[in-house]
Amino acid sequence: MKFYLLGKSLKHSISPLIHSYFYNKLNINATYSNLEIADESLIADFIQKFKIDEESLGFNITIPYKENILNFVNEISEDVSIIGASNCVYKKDNKLVAENTDWIGFIKGIEHKNIDFINKTILLIGAGGASRSIIYALHKLKVKKVILTNRTYENALKFVEIYKNFIDIEPIKWHNFYKKPIDIIINTTPIGMGEFIDISPLDSIPNNVQFVFDAIYNPYETKLIKLAKEMNIDYLNGLHMLIYQAAESYKYWLNISIPDNVMNQAFEYAKIYLYKSV
Ligand code: NAP
């Protein structure tokens, strides 16, 4: 069996490591390969080969093709029709179906924390693919309101336009301090990793915030998470979300659930690999 990850730049991806770990633990005879695709025009080539290769059963999609991939599949799930992005494609009766496992990855990730999202006001930072999945999860979690801020305000407005009938959502300008109480902060921008490792998307965290989630998983503690820690606010980085979205793909690809003990071991394994000394 063959599975793939499609994206533009995959050098730092730990997905093959996580999937290979699942194969080892569950005795699955499969490969998981990174496929770097330089631009959208090359997706069609891959799809053509994928469709006729009987051993190829599914693939994940990452930045920047989570939205474009919808142009190449035969069906989209109900979740994907609302989210507008897919990170998981599988074959069904010779057709390609687009699913989304990022949103459930987020929900399962935060289940590791005892945080109640019901009726909470969320500050969501970023309006890209990760935010699309997370807004769907926030709807499922029955939050009260989402305050959305994004570097490019026009993109925040477009995002709000898409989801305004689905969830109570209000755009605010980048770095405009929100005056009303916020319960939970979620960062879905790359601010805190790579070239932005020494920056936080917020200079400070309002006092009444109960929980901070950063979708970044490397470094272990972003600047934003360090701020939360200093204020004794509970927090979580994106590693659980990453591992759960990977595991959830197997429900569609092979109709199997990865057992909890393997999930926990995969998390520890990835943690040692990524953070060494933590
Ligand atoms: P994306 O679709 O490219 O969206 C990126 C978002 O970040 C946009 O809102 C963009 O704002 C903003 N942004 C980019 N550069 C910025 C900068 N220099 N300053 C301020 N804002 C900036 O990417 P994505 O798929 O949403 O991924 C975003 C982050 O989430 C990445 O760090 C990724 O690693 C992480 N992620 C984690 C998981 C997980 O499983 N843990 C899953 C998905 C993503 P503009 O509109 O202004 O461009």
Side-chain angles (χ1 to χ4, degrees):
M1 292 182 286
K2 294 186 210 161
F3 302 99
Y4 308 90
L5 173 64
L6 263 63
K8 193 159 193 163
S9 171
L10 301 173
K11 274 184 285 296
H12 301 295
S13 165
I14 63 157
S15 290
L17 180 104
I18 297 167
H19 289 270
S20 304
Y21 190 83
F22 293 152
Y23 302 158
N24 272 332
K25 288 283 162 182
L26 301 171
N27 280 324
I28 296 172
N29 185 12
T31 58
Y32 188 94
S33 319
N34 280 350
L35 273 187
E36 288 200 340
I37 297 200
D39 73 85
E40 192 188 341
S41 64
L42 301 169
I43 297 179
D45 273 3
F46 164 74
I47 295 286
Q48 212 178 10
K49 289 180 194 138
F50 177 82
K51 270 185 168 169
I52 55 174
D53 179 9
E54 284 180 6
E55 274 190 78
S56 293
L57 300 187
F59 58 90
N60 290 128
I61 308 103
T62 188
I63 299 172
Y65 301 124
K66 286 186 183 183
E67 284 134 35
N68 316 18
I69 198 67
L70 304 185
N71 301 325
F72 298 92
V73 296
N74 305 101
E75 275 178 35
I76 61 172
S77 70
E78 207 181 315
D79 296 340
V80 169
S81 71
I82 298 167
I83 297 167
S86 164
N87 70 316
C88 173
V89 168
Y90 66 99
K91 276 180 181 163
K92 188 179 83 181
D93 307 327
N94 280 331
K95 288 186 179 156
L96 296 192
V97 186
E99 253 304 340
N100 188 300
T101 66
D102 278 333
W103 72 271
I104 189 79
F106 172 78
I107 290 186
K108 294 206 166 215
I110 54 145
E111 277 170 7
H112 284 257
K113 294 282 170 178
N114 202 12
I115 306 292
D116 189 1
F117 276 63
I118 298 177
N119 241 352
K120 296 289 161 66
T121 299
I122 318 291
L123 176 66
L124 181 59
I125 309 170
S131 266
R132 279 174 173 263
S133 303
I134 288 175
I135 200 100
Y136 188 68
L138 294 176
H139 167 75
K140 295 266 185 194
L141 291 167
K142 298 186 170 50
V143 304
K144 181 163 82 183
K145 186 179 177 84
V146 175
I147 312 298
L148 180 85
T149 190
N150 191 53
R151 175 184 61 174
T152 312
Y153 189 57
E154 293 71 42
N155 292 344
L157 295 177
K158 281 186 205 154
F159 190 94
V160 166
E161 200 51 39
I162 296 170
Y163 298 107
K164 69 178 187 200
N165 295 327
F166 179 70
I167 195 163
D168 185 353
I169 181 165
E170 178 187 336
I172 58 165
K173 292 222 165 117
W174 190 239
H175 289 152
N176 248 26
F177 190 73
Y178 190 65
K179 309 286 184 302
K180 293 173 202 162
I182 289 163
D183 302 305
I184 292 167
I185 294 174
I186 297 175
N187 175 44
T188 70
T189 73
I191 300 296
M193 63 182 270
E195 60 183 300
F196 309 115
I197 196 158
D198 291 324
I199 319 174
S200 163
L202 298 175
D203 295 333
S204 63
I205 298 177
N207 275 324
N208 46 333
V209 167
Q210 297 154 21
F211 180 61
V212 171
F213 176 84
D214 201 328
I216 294 170
Y217 58 84
N218 198 9
Y220 185 65
E221 286 179 0
T222 57
K223 213 64 204 280
L224 179 65
I225 282 187
K226 282 182 183 153
L227 274 177
K229 215 173 157 184
E230 276 164 29
M231 293 177 70
N232 281 327
I233 297 168
D234 207 355
Y235 59 87
L236 189 70
N237 78 10
L239 187 58
H240 280 101
M241 176 176 170
L242 181 81
I243 294 176
Y244 279 109
Q245 66 74 31
E248 289 290 316
S249 299
Y250 290 92
K251 288 199 176 143
Y252 301 104
W253 293 343
L254 298 177
N255 199 20
I256 59 168
S257 293
I258 312 275
D260 285 350
N261 65 321
V262 175
M263 288 304 295
N264 292 337
Q265 288 162 5
F267 177 76
E268 291 306 323
Y269 180 69
K271 207 168 142 185
I272 289 166
Y273 175 84
L274 281 170
Y275 317 128
K276 268 86 182 178
S277 58
V278 176

